Amino acid sequence: MKAIVFALISVLLLVVDARYQALASVRQVAATVLYPLQMAALMPREALGNMAGYFSSISSLQKEVNQLKTQQLAQSRLLQQAQLQMAENAQLRRLMDAKQHLPVQAQMTEILYDARDPSTRRIVIDRGSRHDVVPGLPVIDHAGVVGQVTRVFPFTSEVTLLTDRDQAIPVQVLRSGLRSIAYGRGQSGLLDLRFVVANADIQVGDILVTSGLDGMYPAGLAVAKVVQVESVAGGTFGRVVGQPLGGIDRNRQLLVIMSQSNLPPKPKAATQGATARRKLPDMAPIPAPPLAPAPLPPQGAPAQPAPGAGIPAAAPAQQAGAAPAATAPPPVRTPPAQSATVTPGAAPAARAGGATPPATAVRPANREGQ
């Protein structure tokens, strides 16, 4: 009976709720009251499900992170290569533009490594004697002079940078035309203009270019920018410091200028004079000076030889009537009024023959008086 009664009540409530919606408010109140109980009953199931999803998500996330890191490394390597290629392309474009504007022939080169000596500022490039590179050739980039080839090997060459202590380059101030010489300052990477007068027309910001006076660097190449000018109090010379404009320690591609600027030859007159001085003919031996005039001795008296005229070996030849010695000049005839000098060897002949020599066998004391 109870089951039948409750069944009839349920059917009645279903019909009333379906027809008149009379129990909607009752269901809402019941759902609100029972919601905490439902959530408490579902918590264990949701905790187990979330735990399984948590561990699975961690493993999947770790795999995804590893994959993303690998991709990032690959992309970063490609990005760095792309950036390097972009920088090299920009540098090559600038070098090609500089090469087109150069009035001389140049070839591209690349830096292999720095020199092993840390106290010097040198680099090694991939061009050598097999590429017609010789010592003394300038090395530049798109901005200015970098250095000079100082040592050449078959396939490589050594370039001394401008900032090396043993390197010097003649420069000229582009604004005022003042000429000077720039010396390297070593590891500081600067240039020093020495022996510049204190009142020289040079200012901070002036551009220094090659003057071309040394015959190595073509004139007009940019060298440095003046960054410091100091006048020493009471000194004769001032201090000028320049910052190189070329990529001394930045770029990897450079240009080697293959032809040097030849200086004009020396004047022919100076060259001929130097040659004539070097090829002077041999001078002839200076003859002995003439004897001083002496009076003739009286007849019958032995004649005294003139000072310095005693030649013992010539007396026998004079006794036999032979001619004077070959080294003496030939006798000439003079008028009786002129004073004559006894020829060498006449005094010994007078002692042998007892008579004075003939007046015709005499030599003039001075030929200009004849």
Side-chain angles (χ1 to χ4, degrees), residues 75-93:
Q75 295 295 332
S76 63
R77 181 177 61 84
L78 295 176
L79 179 61
Q80 292 175 2
Q81 290 181 352
Q83 291 177 352
L84 178 61
Q85 290 177 358
M86 291 176 61
E88 288 182 353
N89 290 335
Q91 174 68 13
L92 292 175
R93 289 192 185 97

Side-chain angles (χ1 to χ4, degrees), residues 215-280:
M216 294 292 181
Y217 296 92
L221 298 178
V223 177
K225 180 180 180 181
V226 178
V227 296
Q228 184 179 359
V229 179
E230 294 182 1
S231 298
V232 181
T236 307
F237 302 104
R239 180 185 179 188
V240 180
V241 180
Q243 178 69 39
L245 295 176
I248 300 297
D249 52 359
R250 294 188 298 271
N251 301 321
R252 188 172 181 180
Q253 288 78 22
L254 303 173
L255 282 178
V256 179
I257 299 179
M258 299 305 299
S259 59
Q260 300 176 355
S261 58
N262 297 325
L263 295 176
K266 295 182 179 180
K268 295 183 179 180
T271 305
Q272 292 177 358
T275 305
R277 288 193 297 269
R278 288 194 299 268
K279 297 182 179 180
L280 288 175

Side-chain angles (χ1 to χ4, degrees), residues 25-272:
S25 59
V26 178
R27 285 198 304 273
Q28 291 179 358
V29 173
T32 303
V33 173
L34 296 176
Y35 180 76
L37 299 177
Q38 292 177 355
M39 295 302 298
L42 293 176
M43 283 180 64
R45 189 192 69 176
E46 292 180 355
L48 293 175
N50 292 334
M51 187 179 296
Y54 174 76
F55 288 109
S56 63
S57 62
I58 286 179
S59 62
S60 62
L61 287 175
Q62 287 179 351
K63 293 180 180 178
E64 186 177 358
V65 167
N66 294 332
Q67 292 178 357
L68 291 176
K69 286 182 177 180
T70 304
Q71 293 179 0
Q72 182 182 6
L73 291 176
Q75 295 295 332
S76 63
R77 181 177 61 84
L78 295 176
L79 179 61
Q80 292 175 2
Q81 290 181 352
Q83 291 177 352
L84 178 61
Q85 290 177 358
M86 291 176 61
E88 288 182 353
N89 290 335
Q91 174 68 13
L92 292 175
R93 289 192 185 97
R94 291 192 293 264
L95 286 177
M96 293 301 295
D97 183 65
K99 182 178 179 181
Q100 292 177 0
H101 289 82
L102 283 176
V104 294
Q105 183 182 3
Q107 66 172 328
M108 193 79 63
T109 183
E110 187 173 355
I111 299 176
L112 297 179
Y113 53 86
D114 292 338
R116 296 180 177 87
D117 190 357
S119 62
T120 59
R121 303 279 292 174
R122 298 178 182 177
I123 57 176
V124 178
I125 60 177
D126 61 348
R127 291 292 185 270
S129 59
R130 300 293 296 272
H131 306 89
D132 300 331
V133 177
V134 296
L137 293 179
V139 179
I140 66 172
D141 65 354
H142 68 282
V145 179
V146 174
Q148 186 179 20
V149 177
T150 54
R151 188 179 299 176
V152 178
F153 303 98
F155 298 98
T156 59
S157 299
E158 190 176 83
V159 178
T160 302
L161 302 180
L162 289 180
T163 54
D164 189 82
R165 291 185 179 274
D166 297 333
Q167 190 71 2
I169 178 173
V171 296
Q172 184 175 7
V173 180
L174 187 61
R175 177 182 57 84
S176 62
L178 178 67
R179 292 191 300 272
S180 182
I181 299 178
Y183 297 86
R185 300 183 64 180
Q187 298 296 331
S188 63
L190 299 175
L191 299 177
D192 189 11
L193 272 67
R194 306 175 185 174
F195 311 113
V196 178
V197 295
N199 58 351
D201 187 9
I202 185 170
Q203 303 173 2
V204 175
D206 285 343
I207 302 299
L208 304 178
V209 298
T210 54
S211 61
L213 297 180
D214 59 344
M216 294 292 181
Y217 296 92
L221 298 178
V223 177
K225 180 180 180 181
V226 178
V227 296
Q228 184 179 359
V229 179
E230 294 182 1
S231 298
V232 181
T236 307
F237 302 104
R239 180 185 179 188
V240 180
V241 180
Q243 178 69 39
L245 295 176
I248 300 297
D249 52 359
R250 294 188 298 271
N251 301 321
R252 188 172 181 180
Q253 288 78 22
L254 303 173
L255 282 178
V256 179
I257 299 179
M258 299 305 299
S259 59
Q260 300 176 355
S261 58
N262 297 325
L263 295 176
K266 295 182 179 180
K268 295 183 179 180
T271 305
Q272 292 177 358

